C-alpha cells in the first residue's frame, strides 16, 4: 500500500475522539462515549513476515501477515449504559483498556491482542488477576505491566503470567507511567522520575549502561529547576518535560533524542533546539523499534514537532527520507490545534481539536472530531471511506492523496468500481483496449468524471469517445471504435 508522509484525516471516526495511542503497526482510538476502535495489526519488526514489503497494485508499502489486518477502524468495545472505557494503552503485541462500571464507578483492566509472538490474536477479556484494584492507568513493556490504582498503590505483573501480580516496591504516589519495549518510567505526584528495566542503551537515565535496573530515581532530573510533568518511552529511549524543557536519554541511532547527533546518552540531556526558539513543550510521545525510532512533542501553543527516523514518513513532514536529528515543525497539520499524539513502530497519529486553531479559538468546527493519521496501516482505510470523486478532488489539494494520483492501477480500480461494477466483459474489453493503446487510466477517469458530472454525456463510453476524438491520434480512435462498435455513431 501507499505510504503517507503528510497527515490525512480518518473520516470514519465521526464521533468525538478523546485519546489516540499507537503500538506496533496498529492504532487505537477512545471515543467520548466510551467506545474503543482499533485498526492495523499486531506486527513486530523482528518478524520477517511483518517487515515492510513492497505490495503490488498500489505501488507502496504495507505490513504483510498471514491474515489481512483491518485497515478501517473496527469497534473493539462498544459502550453501554452500564460499561464505558475511560482509558486505553498500547503495549508490544497487546492493547489495554480501563473499563468503568457506571453503576459502581469501579474501573477494571481489560486486554486483547497477541500474548506471545506468532500466537492468534485474543479477544477482549478482563484481566482477572487485576480485578482487586480500582484502576486509574495502565501501561506495559513487552514483559512487565504496570497498573496505577486510585488508592495510590502501583501493581506490576508479568504480561504472559498475569497471575503473578506484585506491589511496586517503591511506595510513592505515582501520577503516570510510560513504557518502552523493556523499560519503564514512573512519574511521582511531586514531579520526580523513577526508572526501571532494561538499560542497555542508557534509557533508564542513571549515568551508566547496564543490563537491567531495579526501580530507582533518575537523580539527574532532581536537579531541574522545575518538576517533571510529562514522560514518554520509545523502544529504547526516554523523554521527560520539566518547565517546558525536554530532556532526552537512551538510544539515539536515528536521532530520536533530538540532540543534533546520533550518540546515545545515559544521562538526561536538554533538547536545546526548543530552548533556542523559546518554545515551551507541554507533552511528548515516543515510539519506534530497531532502526526506526522517532519522537513527537506538542508545545503550549498546540504546535507539533517531530524528530528521529523518517524512513516511512512517520514524522509527517511531507516526505519520507533521512533521519531528522533536531525537532522539526509539522506544518502539514494545518491550523488546527494538536491535542495529543501517538507513536507506533513506523507510523504516528495526531488528535486535533475541532474547536480551535493552534493560536486561537474559532467560531465553528469542520467535524465533530478531527483525527489525523500517518503512514503504514491507513491508506486503504482512507480510500475505502471516500467516494472515488472525492479522491479525484482531494488529489489536487492534498499531498497525501497526490501520492496515489499517478498510480495507474489505482485509477483502473476507481474506474471499474465507479462505472463497470460486476461487468466482467466490459472490464476485459477496457483492459485490452487500454493495453493496446498505452493510455492512462487516470486521464480516462478524470475525463469521464468531469463529463458525466456536467451531464455532457450519459455513459462513460460517450465521454471517452468525445475526449479521444479531440486528444488522440486517428489510430487510437479507430481502435476504440473497433472495441466499442455500438457508439460509433458519436463520430
Amino acid at each position: 500500500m501507499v505510504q503517507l508522509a503528510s497527515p490525512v484525516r480518518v473520516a470514519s471516526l465521526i464521533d468525538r475522539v478523546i485519546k489516540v495511542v499507537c503500538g506496533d503497526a496498529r492504532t487505537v482510538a477512545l471515543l467520548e462515549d466510551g467506545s474503543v476502535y482499533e485498526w492495523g495489526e499486531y506486527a513486530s519488526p523482528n518478524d520477517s513476515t511483518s517487515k515492510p514489503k513492497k505490495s503490488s497494485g498500489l505501488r507502496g508499502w504495507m505490513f504483510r501477515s498471514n491474515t489481512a489486518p483491518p485497515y478501517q477502524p473496527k469497534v473493539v468495545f462498544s459502550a453501554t449504559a452500564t460499561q464505558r472505557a475511560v482509558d486505553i494503552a498500547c503495549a508490544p503485541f497487546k492493547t489495554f483498556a480501563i473499563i468503568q462500571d457506571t453503576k459502581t464507578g469501579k474501573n477494571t483492566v481489560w486486554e486483547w491482542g497477541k500474548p506471545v509472538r506468532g500466537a492468534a490474536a485474543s479477544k477482549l477479556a478482563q484481566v482477572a488477576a487485576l480485578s482487586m484494584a480500582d484502576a486509574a492507568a495502565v501501561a506495559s513493556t513487552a514483559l512487565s505491566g504496570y497498573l496505577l490504582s486510585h488508592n495510590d498503590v502501583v501493581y506490576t505483573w508479568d504480561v504472559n503470567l498475569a497471575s503473578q501480580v506484585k506491589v511496586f516496591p517503591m511506595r510513592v504516589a505515582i501520577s503516570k507511567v510510560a513504557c518502552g519495549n523493556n523499560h519503564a518510567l514512573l512519574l511521582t505526584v511531586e514531579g520526580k522520575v523513577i526508572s526501571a528495566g532494561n538499560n542497555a542503551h542508557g534509557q533508564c537515565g542513571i549515568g551508566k549502561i547496564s543490563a537491567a535496573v531495579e526501580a530507582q530515581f533518575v537523580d539527574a532530573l532532581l536537579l531541574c529547576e522545575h518538576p517533571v510533568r510529562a514522560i514518554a518511552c520509545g523502544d529504547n529511549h526516554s523523554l521527560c518535560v520539566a518547565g517546558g524543557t525536554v530532556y532526552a536519554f537512551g538510544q539515539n541511532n536515528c536521532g530520536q533524542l533530538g540532540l543534533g547527533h546520533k550518540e546515545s546518552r545515559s544521562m538526561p540531556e536538554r533538547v536545546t533546539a526548543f530552548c533556542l526558539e523559546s518554545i515551551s513543550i507541554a507533552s511528548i510521545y515516543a515510539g519506534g523499534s530497531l532502526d526506526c525510532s522517532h519522537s513527537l512533542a506538542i508545545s503550549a501553543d498546540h504546535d507539533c514537532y517531530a524528530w528521529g527516523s523518517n524512513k516511512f514518513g512517520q514524522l509527517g513532514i511531507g516526505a519520507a527520507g533521512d533521519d531528522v536529528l533536531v525537532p522539526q515543525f509539522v506544518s502539514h497539520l494545518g491550523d488546527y490545534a494538536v491535542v495529543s499524539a501517538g507513536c507506533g513502530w513506523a507510523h504516528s497519529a495526531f488528535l486535533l481539536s475541532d474547536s480551535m486553531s493552534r493560536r486561537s479559538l474559532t467560531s465553528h468546527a469542520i467535524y465533530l472530531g478531527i483525527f489525523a493519521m500517518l503512514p503504514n496501516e491507513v491508506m486503504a482505510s482512507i480510500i475505502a471511506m471516500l467516494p472515488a470523486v472525492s479522491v479525484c478532488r482531494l488529489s489536487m489539494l492534498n499531498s497525501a492523496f497526490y501520492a496515489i494520483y499517478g498510480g495507474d492501477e489505482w485509477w483502473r480500480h476507481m474506474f471499474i468500481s465507479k462505472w463497470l461494477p460486476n461487468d466482467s466483459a466490459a472490464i476485459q474489453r477496457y483492459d485490452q483496449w487500454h493495453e493496446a493503446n498505452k493510455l492512462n487510466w487516470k486521464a480516462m477517469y478524470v475525463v469521464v468524471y468531469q463529463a458525466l458530472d456536467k451531464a455532457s454525456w450519459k455513459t462513460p463510453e460517450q465521454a471517452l469517445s468525445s475526449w479521444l476524438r479531440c486528444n488522440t491520434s486517428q489510430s487510437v480512435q479507430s481502435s476504440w471504435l473497433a472495441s466499442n462498435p455500438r457508439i460509433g455513431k458519436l463520430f
Side-chain angles (χ1 to χ4, degrees):
M1 57 190 300
V2 178
Q3 289 177 202
L4 300 180
S6 297
V8 292
R9 192 175 295 164
V10 177
S12 66
L13 294 177
I14 59 174
D15 292 319
R16 187 181 295 274
V17 179
I18 61 173
K19 185 173 183 179
V20 55
V21 295
C22 301
D24 304 322
R26 68 192 189 282
T27 307
V28 186
L30 174 62
L31 274 58
E32 189 176 47
D33 70 351
S35 298
V36 178
Y37 284 73
E38 182 182 52
W39 60 103
E41 66 176 325
Y42 291 82
S44 167
N46 298 316
D47 295 336
S48 60
T49 57
S50 62
K51 290 183 179 180
K53 294 183 179 181
K54 202 72 173 179
S55 66
S56 60
L58 295 180
R59 298 188 180 187
W61 298 86
M62 67 178 292
F63 290 107
R64 294 282 192 179
S65 64
N66 294 330
T67 59
Y71 291 121
Q72 296 187 50
K74 302 292 184 181
V75 178
V76 177
F77 172 78
S78 295
T80 67
T82 58
Q83 285 187 317
R84 63 189 302 270
V86 295
D87 200 9
I88 51 176
C90 279
F93 302 104
K94 278 193 177 185
T95 307
F96 294 95
I98 295 179
I99 296 179
Q100 182 181 80
D101 185 318
T102 57
K103 292 183 178 180
T104 65
K106 184 178 179 180
N107 297 335
T108 52
V109 179
W110 296 61
E111 67 176 5
W112 66 97
K114 292 187 176 183
V116 294
R117 184 177 302 165
S122 61
K123 295 183 179 180
L124 178 70
Q126 184 178 350
V127 182
L130 301 175
S131 60
M132 74 295 188
D134 185 12
V138 63
S140 176
T141 70
L143 301 176
S144 302
Y146 294 82
L147 171 64
L148 277 61
S149 69
H150 281 293
N151 61 357
D152 293 332
V153 177
V154 179
Y155 298 91
T156 65
W157 75 96
D158 184 314
V159 296
N160 295 318
L161 298 170
S163 61
Q164 299 183 5
V165 179
K166 301 177 182 179
V167 175
F168 188 66
M170 299 180 68
R171 297 303 296 271
V172 292
I174 301 296
S175 63
K176 184 178 181 180
V177 60
C179 289
N181 182 56
N182 208 4
H183 79 288
L185 297 181
L186 294 91
L187 181 62
T188 71
V189 293
E190 294 88 4
K192 299 177 182 180
V193 177
I194 298 170
S195 63
N198 187 288
N199 191 42
H201 301 278
Q203 58 264 48
C204 288
I206 60 174
K208 63 180 181 180
I209 303 298
S210 57
V213 169
E214 296 295 329
Q216 61 184 275
F217 285 104
V218 181
D219 291 336
L221 292 172
L222 298 177
L223 303 176
C224 293
E225 182 180 356
H226 301 279
V228 174
R229 293 306 182 202
I231 55 175
C233 293
D235 187 45
N236 290 308
H237 74 289
S238 303
L239 303 173
C240 300
V241 175
T245 299
V246 178
Y247 295 85
F249 45 101
Q251 190 175 32
N252 196 30
N253 60 320
C254 302
Q256 59 264 44
L257 299 187
L259 304 175
H261 56 71
K262 292 189 176 183
E263 297 177 7
S264 297
R265 290 288 186 264
S266 61
M267 292 271 291
E269 186 166 324
R270 182 180 300 179
V271 181
T272 57
F274 293 121
C275 302
L276 294 174
E277 298 294 332
S278 298
I279 298 170
S280 178
I281 297 302
S283 57
I284 66 276
Y285 308 86
S289 185
L290 294 181
D291 63 342
C292 55
S293 293
H294 65 293
S295 305
L296 301 173
I298 299 174
S299 72
D301 290 328
H302 297 285
D303 291 326
C304 186
Y305 299 84
W307 63 95
S309 173
N310 195 36
K311 185 176 182 180
F312 301 102
Q314 57 264 54
L315 300 187
I317 56 178
D322 296 336
D323 298 336
V324 176
L325 305 185
V326 294
Q328 183 170 333
F329 174 57
V330 183
S331 61
H332 294 270
L333 290 171
D335 198 42
Y336 292 102
V338 185
V339 177
S340 65
C343 296
W345 168 38
H347 75 290
S348 302
F350 301 104
L351 182 61
L352 309 183
S353 171
D354 64 351
S355 60
M356 62 181 177
S357 68
R358 291 199 308 268
R359 299 285 194 271
S360 61
L361 296 176
T362 59
S363 59
H364 65 281
I366 295 178
Y367 282 89
L368 291 176
I370 298 175
F371 182 54
M373 277 290 309
L374 286 181
N376 285 329
E377 79 264 29
V378 297
M379 193 70 242
S381 69
I382 297 162
I383 295 174
M385 291 183 281
L386 294 173
V389 293
S390 296
V391 179
C392 180
R393 291 165 177 162
L394 287 170
S395 64
M396 301 298 184
L397 303 173
N398 187 287
S399 59
F401 286 89
Y402 185 79
I404 65 167
Y405 189 67
D408 209 36
E409 296 97 334
W410 175 244
W411 286 101
R412 173 185 177 275
H413 167 74
M414 301 251 282
F415 193 99
I416 290 172
S417 62
K418 177 70 175 177
W419 291 298
L420 304 175
N422 304 318
D423 191 345
S424 57
I427 294 173
Q428 183 178 10
R429 185 175 71 250
Y430 270 71
D431 279 336
Q432 292 173 346
W433 177 78
H434 172 270
E435 179 64 26
N437 295 283
K438 308 298 181 185
L439 294 183
N440 187 293
W441 278 103
K442 179 183 70 175
M444 292 165 59
Y445 180 94
V446 172
V447 167
V448 172
Y449 162 69
Q450 291 176 340
L452 297 182
D453 188 57
K454 295 176 182 178
S456 302
W457 305 104
K458 295 182 179 180
T459 67
E461 289 87 353
Q462 291 177 331
L464 278 173
S465 297
S466 176
W467 175 70
L468 290 167
R469 182 171 53 188
C470 301
N471 296 281
T472 62
S473 65
Q474 184 63 44
S475 61
V476 172
Q477 294 176 28
S478 299
S479 174
W480 172 248
L481 290 173
S483 61
N484 294 275
R486 68 181 184 276
I487 61 170
K489 61 182 180 180
L490 292 175
F491 283 77

